Structure formats: structure tokens, C-alpha cells
């Protein structure tokens, strides 16, 4: 299967999973009330976050929305045409799923388009409440770091880089 199809298909699947989880949580959870999943290790707690991680930037929702739009366009127009490896396709799929998952919230969740609050629900001790899109972005960042540390350039790539 072509790597670009994997990247786009994976991104759509990840976006779908993110939005289904958020829909279920908005439908069935009472805001702010914790529901133990794994005792005190993992709880579901519905919150609406206007900012970024740890609630920072609550007054910068429009900035985060515009940044996510630009990041999505960059992933599709710059990164997608250049990927050649399956590992890169998976990483890009996760990154796109995460960016677009939170962007959909910022566009379509209350209070208004570009001002929408991100739906978060996963709570672990001593950490911010987060969602599936955040997990996708974090895993993609980890894969990018690992690739930078461990992937070897092919001989022809080294010659072209010189």
C-alpha cells in the first residue's frame, strides 16, 4: 500500500476515533465528574478546554485555531508529498489525526467557530486532563524524536545531503 494512502487513511481513522470518543463523553458524562476506569490511575472527567496543555492560553483560542489550520495545510502540502517510509506515514497519520481532532473542536464546539473549546476527558494523577488527539500528537512527537536518533540515512540520501 502506498505510504501516502496509509498516512491519509490513518489520519482519517484517528480523527474518527477521536471524535467518537468525544461524542460519547459529551453525551454520557456529566462535566467535571470523574468516572473511575482503572481506579485512581485513569478516570474519565469531561472538561472543555479553551486553551492548550494544562489550560494555558485560555485567551488564545483563535491563535490555536489558526495555528492548527496552518499546521494541517503544512502536513498535507509539504510533508505528505515527501514521505517515502512507512514509519513516516504512520507518524504523519498520528500528527494529522491529533491536529485535526482538536481543530474540529475549535471549529465546531461552543462557544463559536475558531473559539471552540477542546473536549478533554482522560485524567491520570498529577497530569493535565487530555484527549485522544493529544495522545496522537504526543506519540507522533515521540516517533519523530526516535527517528532522529535511530533512523539511518540511505547512502544516496547522504550523498544528496552533502
Amino acid at each position: 500500500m502506498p505510504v501516502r494512502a496509509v498516512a491519509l487513511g490513518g489520519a482519517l481513522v484517528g480523527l474518527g476515533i477521536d471524535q467518537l470518543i468525544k461524542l460519547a463523553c459529551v453525551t454520557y458524562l456529566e462535566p467535571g465528574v470523574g468516572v473511575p476506569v482503572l481506579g485512581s490511575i485513569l478516570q474519565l472527567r469531561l472538561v472543555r478546554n479553551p486553551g492548550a496543555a494544562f489550560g494555558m492560553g485560555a485567551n488564545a483560542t483563535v491563535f490555536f485555531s489558526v495555528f492548527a489550520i496552518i499546521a494541517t495545510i503544512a502536513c498535507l502540502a509539504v510533508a505528505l508529498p515527501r514521505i517515502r517510509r512507512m514509519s513516516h506515514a504512520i507518524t504523519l497519520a498520528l500528527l494529522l489525526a491529533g491536529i485535526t481532532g482538536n481543530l474540529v473542536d475549535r471549529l465546531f464546539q461552543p462557544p463559536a467557530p475558531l473559539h471552540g473549546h477542546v473536549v478533554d476527558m482522560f485524567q491520570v494523577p498529577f497530569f493535565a486532563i487530555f484527549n485522544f488527539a493529544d495522545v496522537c500528537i504526543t506519540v507522533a512527537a515521540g516517533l519523530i524524536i526516535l527517528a532522529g536518533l535511530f533512523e539511518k540515512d540511505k547512502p544516496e540520501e547522504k550523498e544528496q545531503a552533502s
Side-chain angles (χ1 to χ4, degrees):
M1 178 178 286
V3 292
R4 290 181 192 98
V6 169
L8 289 175
L12 289 173
V13 168
L15 172 61
I17 291 169
D18 176 70
Q19 292 300 302
L20 285 173
I21 292 169
K22 289 173 178 175
L23 177 62
C25 288
V26 167
T27 302
Y28 296 109
L29 295 178
E30 186 176 331
V33 177
V35 176
V37 176
L38 294 173
S40 62
I41 295 172
L42 175 64
Q43 291 190 27
L44 295 177
R45 182 179 305 270
L46 177 63
V47 297
R48 293 181 182 270
N49 182 0
F54 302 99
M56 295 184 297
N59 295 324
T61 305
V62 172
F63 168 78
F64 294 129
S65 299
V66 171
F67 182 78
I69 291 167
I70 293 167
T72 300
I73 292 168
C75 286
L76 293 172
V78 178
L80 184 64
R82 289 175 170 78
I83 60 172
R84 301 284 180 266
R85 297 180 181 176
M86 191 59 69
S87 61
H88 296 170
I90 292 166
T91 302
L92 185 59
L94 288 165
L95 188 59
L96 274 167
I99 293 168
T100 58
N102 287 335
L103 176 59
V104 167
D105 289 3
R106 294 191 188 284
L107 292 175
F108 299 109
Q109 289 291 329
L114 297 178
H115 297 273
H117 295 181
V118 173
V119 176
D120 289 329
M121 75 290 298
F122 299 124
Q123 183 177 27
V124 295
F126 313 110
F127 197 70
I129 300 174
F130 57 96
N131 60 43
F132 184 76
D134 298 331
V135 172
C136 290
I137 292 169
T138 302
V139 172
L143 291 173
I144 290 167
I145 291 168
L146 289 173
L149 292 173
F150 297 110
E151 279 189 7
K152 302 282 188 217
D153 288 339
K154 294 179 181 175
E156 62 271 12
E157 291 174 341
K158 283 184 182 178
E159 291 171 12
Q160 291 175 357
S162 300

